[in-house]
Amino acid sequence: MSYHWNWAVFLSPAPSGDTTYLGWMLSGLKMTVTLSLSAWVMALILGSIMGVLRTVPNRWLSGFATGYVELFRNIPLLVQLFIWYFVLPELLPTGMGDAFKQTDPAFQQFFSAMICLGFFTSARICEQVRAGIGSLPPGQKNAGLAMGFTLTQTYRHVLVPMAFRLIVPPLTSEFLNIFKNSAVCSTIGLLELAAQGRQLVDYTAQSYESFIAVTMMYLLINVVVMLVARQVEERTRVPGYIGGK
């Protein structure tokens, strides 16, 4: 094999930014984490609301939530990203569209990526929440109503807290997916972790070192998330249910 390994390349000065190539990689890692966490907060809030709406007896609300899921879950992530970044600014009123296009390009890329990942992931979380609520015995809802709770109070104090305790494992998978899906955002120029890895290859031709480093950083994120999720799952297990003691 004629490939020349050079791990010291990460300590070499980068051509821009007054930093090293390692600094590039760490800035990409920071961008990936910031983008993913921001999109996750949005996705968790929207997904929880839509998941609840999918289970309510009102057919208009449940139908709206169903349409929401089908829309954002069935369009490929890359297509949605291009729509948010390239198409939507052209569809906005002229003033709003021009204002957005005149902002810092890095902000445009980050905002579009966050919105895209947030809506895409929220549709998946919606189904997890719906399944969690649907797995609960009907007696829990009936007991809440019998105690004098309104339907809204029954969801808030009985069904939703119980459902979230049951769906910690699938939510963990979705949380991991949002970090991996963030790599798609490099296609609109966002300098997240995968994009910084490719940029390092372009400047140094050290492809093996670059993508081994990128892989290890993604693994580090996954290990941290899994360790935290395992602690959350241990503390929220429900006795008598799968995984409970």
Side-chain angles (χ1 to χ4, degrees), residues 5-120:
W5 291 87
N6 180 21
W7 290 102
V9 68
F10 292 108
L11 302 179
S12 301
S16 63
D18 192 25
T19 185
T20 62
Y21 288 114
L22 178 60
W24 275 10
M25 301 296 287
L26 293 177
S27 69
L29 176 63
K30 179 181 178 181
M31 178 61 72
T32 292
V33 172
T34 303
L35 171 64
S36 301
L37 291 179
S38 301
W40 176 255
V41 172
M42 173 185 169
L44 188 61
I45 294 173
L46 281 176
S48 300
I49 294 173
M50 292 299 168
V52 169
L53 291 182
R54 286 212 65 184
T55 64
V56 299
N58 187 306
R59 65 174 185 173
W60 296 106
L61 292 178
S62 61
F64 171 76
T66 300
Y68 177 94
V69 170
E70 296 302 321
L71 175 65
F72 289 105
R73 190 174 62 173
N74 292 321
I75 299 176
L77 176 60
L78 185 60
V79 175
Q80 292 189 41
L81 182 62
F82 287 165
I83 290 174
W84 285 109
Y85 185 65
F86 294 111
V87 179
L88 187 62
E90 304 299 331
L91 299 179
L92 292 174
T94 304
M96 294 178 60
D98 290 344
F100 178 77
K101 289 182 284 187
Q102 291 170 6
T103 59
D104 182 4
F107 172 79
Q108 297 178 38
Q109 295 157 4
F110 181 89
F111 184 78
S112 299
M114 181 190 71
I115 295 297
C116 176
L117 286 175
F119 277 110
F120 180 81

Side-chain angles (χ1 to χ4, degrees), residues 132-133 135-137 140 155-167 236 238-239 241:
I133 295 175
S135 69
L136 298 175
Q140 292 200 15
Y155 270 96
R156 178 182 175 185
H157 298 293
V158 180
L159 301 181
V160 173
M162 188 68 173
F164 267 96
R165 295 175 71 180
L166 298 178
I167 63 173
T236 58
V238 182
Y241 285 80

